[in-house]
Amino acid sequence: MAEKTNRLGLTPADYKGSKTTLCAGCGHNAISERILESMYELGIPPERVAKLSGIGCSSKTPAYFMSRAHSFNAVHGRMPSVATGALMANRTLIGLGISGDGDTASIGVGQFVHLVRRNLPLVYIIEDNGVYGLTKGQFSATADAGSTSKSGVVNQLPAIDTCLLAIQLGATFVGRSFSGDKKQLSAMLKAATVHRGTAVLDVISPCVTFNDHEGSTKSYSYMKDHEEPIHELSFIPSYENIAVDYDPGSTVSVKMHDGSRLQLRKLEDGYDPRNKIEAVTRIMTSHAQQEVLTGVLYVNTELPNFYDLLAIPDEPLATLPQERTRPPRKVLDEVMDSLA
Amino acid sequence: MSQSASTVINDMSLQVATVNGSGSQSANMVLLRTLFQMGIPVSGKNLFPSNIAGLPTWYTIRASKDGWIARKKEVDLLVAMNAETAREDVLSLRPGSAVVFDEPLQLGSVRSDLAFYPVPFDKVIQPVSSDAKLKKLLKNMAYVGVVAHLLGMEMGEVEAAIAKQFRKKAKAAELNVRAAMAGFDFAKASLEKKDPFQVRRMDANRGKIIIEGNAAGALGAMFGGVTVVTWYPITPSSSLVETLIGYMRRYRMGADGKSTYAIVQAEDELAAVGMVIGAGWAGARAMTSTAGPGISLMSEFAGLAYFAEIPAVIWDVQRVGPSTGLPTRTSQGDVLSTAFLSHGDTRQILLFPGTVEECFRFGAEAFDIAERFQTPVFVMSDLDLGMNYWMSEPFSYPEKPIARGKVLSKEDLQRLGGFERYRDVDGDGITYRTLPGTDHPAASYFTRGTGHNEKAQYSERPDDWVNNLDRLERKMETARRELPAPILDGTGAEVGIIAYGSSHHALVESRDQMLREKGLKTDYLRILAYPFSPEVRAFVDRHPRVYVVEQNRDGQLAALLKLDLPAELTTRLKSVAHIPGLPLDARSLTDEIVAREGR
């Protein structure tokens, strides 16, 4: 039987990356799979993709999909500026920015804010688990107020809603999904990839190791049941990916790895994502109802993107020939005359 | 004082003391240009406060028949327009100096050993305009007229200089000419010449231009083929990018109406350098321009670019630190920290332009060097060089084609079958790279600030780490031999002097003073780049005593040299480090070196 191929004649294997080194069951791995899948299905040549990331568990993931794409794992919280430079230099690249909640909403919030304002064509994925995984479980700025960390610290500060923030800053494509919702996330990634502006996708992605919210005692008891010491942070239980499949307009209650529950509400069919005020109202309403609203929350295809504003040509600036980047001798003569 | 007995021609420094924001800059430029047009070597230094309006500011213009263009320590003619500083300004003058002052300041009684010229500027300017706001500005041009008469400047050249200064505003030019004439006429009718200073037409400036180092650097970048420019406003570097924007809009628009460049004002210096690094990674000639505080902020990214090996050009127009320091004063205070900018075993390439011509040259060449070595290149200018006006020969068009370094194309990859990003194929420490978007399945690699092997794969193996760091060191050894070589002047003297950057101008004058006044012969090596050329060691080897002249407290370049030289040579180095917050002057250097030489 012939191998499955996309419109370019490439197989899913052409979109593969290295083996993941994240915890088994990590939501981030599911997101990597969805990215790989959507790029394959859209028939995007992997060589045309630039994967950009900051620092953290999420930012390691570009190594785990599309090895045939160039990748740049930069410094913590500063992926937006690196992406901006790279894509200005070569606008023909398809930019995939992978960040986390700490990388975006804490150390990187300044660059995130200004990236969104510029409307740089970039798919900006926040793999959002509310904790710092690599440094073992400290809160990030998207952690809910009142949630408890593994070490027992209660988060006293309000969460930053990155989608709400992005809409307020003028983002032109804002969506929220869940790492285990194959259908929704895959569709959202494809739409974001073809959008000609910054697409901010906040993807809730449970951390199997440090994800304790309310009800985290169940997590402790889970570990106790397995007779492992609860403060032994190197203990990584093996989990299955959490998968959900629910209809537009409905809600689903998701049981997290630690036993806590996440109430997802999917935007109904017919929701008009072009209305900014409505989008903000719906997100804030969902906060009041302690639900997480998923779907494409806001889209604006009318605004100029960063390339339009810079008035740069269609071909990459990076490889313009010398005839176009070094003015002729007579220009220098003219300038010298004006300075005499 | 008898005029004929002690006339001093084309050798004087003029200082205008005003209030920041009073509009005196145009008048000072007219004085500078008039002297330039009269063929007299001239230089101007703006000693300004970090302030929009209200604080004292001084502008010093030096005319020197011998061509000395460093700041002169002594002021010969003071124009005192600022009530707040007038008394102190007058008290600091040497006997025999001259003072033009606004009559209400009543300075004539402060000292008896100066030539005082009271001028009732309000009255002088009254017939020119009745508009109060305009009069405040025109007063400045009136002192131009007074000084022109006292020094013997040609009014035709004053008018030409005003026309150039206000070339887009004919009405303003006409008013300013009338104001200058009013000053001139007043001085002619009412002031008796009592000082020895005179200017007289020479022919030393034929074909020369006047430009600030920042503008020269901007031009260099444009002709160097820059395609991505990012910046965050900071004194004294802002004018570099602002000037560049003007030139690029004029000369780098494509026939299709599209820009052949992108210029972005970033949200801060971290983002500015992040964009440069992203763009350099993707293959653009990318640069940013900043000053000390910005350099400090860029330190993490600078280490990433060094370690991940990404070309970047970063201008540091140095001002006085530490911290916010003196934002509008000049220094060479970032040299040591920038040479090692970032944590871990980071080493950076530095270029030291000493003239506006070198600002132009390095403005372009820095890109060739950054792409050749795939690493950041810091162009270490300073406020004196960057923001003041300097005479220069016209700049030469870059003859060498733009060199993009070791970049593999799709065709190269087809031939080679693949490549390893960090493998030292040529033995010079410089490896091959591909640009994102290269249409070949083996083109991609993973760029990271974490430990990596030759294939750019994540690695924590000790051998991979050591191999990589050793190779990076080898790359810097290659750079040492290829970077712009130092410039030697003089051989056979027992005393050697090393300097760099804008210190050059005071030093060449000081060497002349030491020779003429004390018979002290010196050899001079001007350093243009770090890591240091092997010629630097050879120079120290030939001289029992080597003075290292620079503008900071700690002798930063001397310290860098000590790290580089064998132990037996380090004791030969003697630091001459000055940081008064003013451009370096020759007399201070002469006094110190002569004393230390026991002359």
Side-chain angles (χ1 to χ4, degrees), chain B residues 218-254:
Chain B
L219 278 173
M222 179 168 76
F223 285 95
V226 68
T227 48
V228 171
V229 183
T230 68
W231 66 301
Y232 184 76
I234 184 170
T235 304
S237 89
S238 301
S239 64
L240 198 158
V241 177
E242 284 170 328
T243 309
L244 182 56
I245 290 169
Y247 282 129
M248 297 287 264
R249 278 187 185 150
R250 184 139 183 216
Y251 298 116
R252 282 283 298 274
M253 298 302 286

Side-chain angles (χ1 to χ4, degrees), chain B residues 292 295 316-319 321 331-342 346-353 378-382 499-503 527 529-532 548-561 563:
Chain B
I295 285 288
D316 180 2
V317 187
Q318 295 167 92
R319 62 191 222 185
S331 92
Q332 297 177 316
D334 300 346
V335 172
L336 194 56
S337 56
T338 308
F340 304 108
L341 193 66
S342 210
T346 304
R347 204 117 60 83
Q348 307 290 6
I349 289 178
L350 314 180
L351 298 177
F352 302 110
F378 292 84
V379 188
M380 307 299 286
S381 181
D382 62 45
Y500 61 100
S502 68
S503 304
I527 289 179
Y530 175 84
F532 301 122
V548 183
V549 171
E550 54 193 314
Q551 299 173 65
N552 50 59
R553 182 193 65 186
D554 294 339
Q556 297 190 11
L557 193 95
L560 267 183
L561 284 165
L563 289 173

Side-chain angles (χ1 to χ4, degrees), chain B residues 162-223:
Chain B
I162 291 173
K164 184 147 180 122
Q165 186 68 24
F166 297 95
R167 61 185 172 281
K168 282 169 192 158
K169 304 169 202 154
K171 184 145 189 330
E174 189 246 315
L175 261 181
N176 277 283
V177 168
R178 282 172 53 203
M181 281 310 301
F184 185 88
D185 291 343
F186 169 83
K188 194 174 172 186
S190 315
L191 300 178
E192 187 201 341
K193 176 80 171 171
K194 293 182 286 186
D195 68 83
F197 303 105
Q198 292 275 350
V199 296
R200 209 169 284 168
R201 181 169 283 279
M202 286 175 65
D203 190 17
N205 300 342
R206 194 173 290 264
K208 290 210 167 97
I209 60 165
I210 295 190
I211 190 171
E212 313 103 303
N214 281 353
L219 278 173
M222 179 168 76
F223 285 95

Side-chain angles (χ1 to χ4, degrees), chain B residues 486-499 507 511 521-527 532-549 557 561 565-566 569 572-574:
Chain B
I487 298 169
L488 178 67
D489 186 39
T491 51
E494 198 168 308
V495 174
I497 298 178
I498 286 175
L507 183 63
R511 287 180 69 215
K521 195 166 173 290
T522 58
D523 295 340
Y524 171 34
L525 189 74
R526 183 157 67 90
I527 289 179
F532 301 122
S533 154
E535 289 177 42
V536 176
R537 177 180 169 172
F539 180 82
V540 178
D541 214 20
R542 291 198 302 272
H543 296 88
R545 296 184 299 288
V546 178
Y547 293 92
V548 183
V549 171
L557 193 95
L561 284 165
L565 293 170
L569 290 183
R572 298 181 175 196
L573 300 181
K574 302 182 186 314

Side-chain angles (χ1 to χ4, degrees), chain A residues 67 71 73 118 311 326-327 334, chain B residues 223 251 259 267 397 444 447:
Chain A
S67 291
S71 194
N73 181 196
R118 293 189 183 103
R326 171 173 286 171
E334 182 183 320
Chain B
F223 285 95
Y251 298 116
S259 314
E267 58 269 33
Y397 191 75
S444 72
T447 306

Side-chain angles (χ1 to χ4, degrees), chain A residues 15 32 37 49 60 87 95 159 217 268 330:
Chain A
Y15 290 80
S32 295
E37 205 172 84
V49 174
K60 288 178 153 207
L87 296 173
T217 47
E268 65 281 2
K330 70 172 166 41

Side-chain angles (χ1 to χ4, degrees), chain B residues 57-77:
Chain B
T57 181
W58 296 268
Y59 196 85
T60 304
I61 295 169
R62 179 176 187 184
S64 165
K65 61 182 189 314
D66 301 315
W68 307 127
I69 52 176
R71 184 175 72 87
K72 188 178 168 190
K73 200 173 180 181
E74 306 82 12
V75 171
D76 300 310
L77 171 59

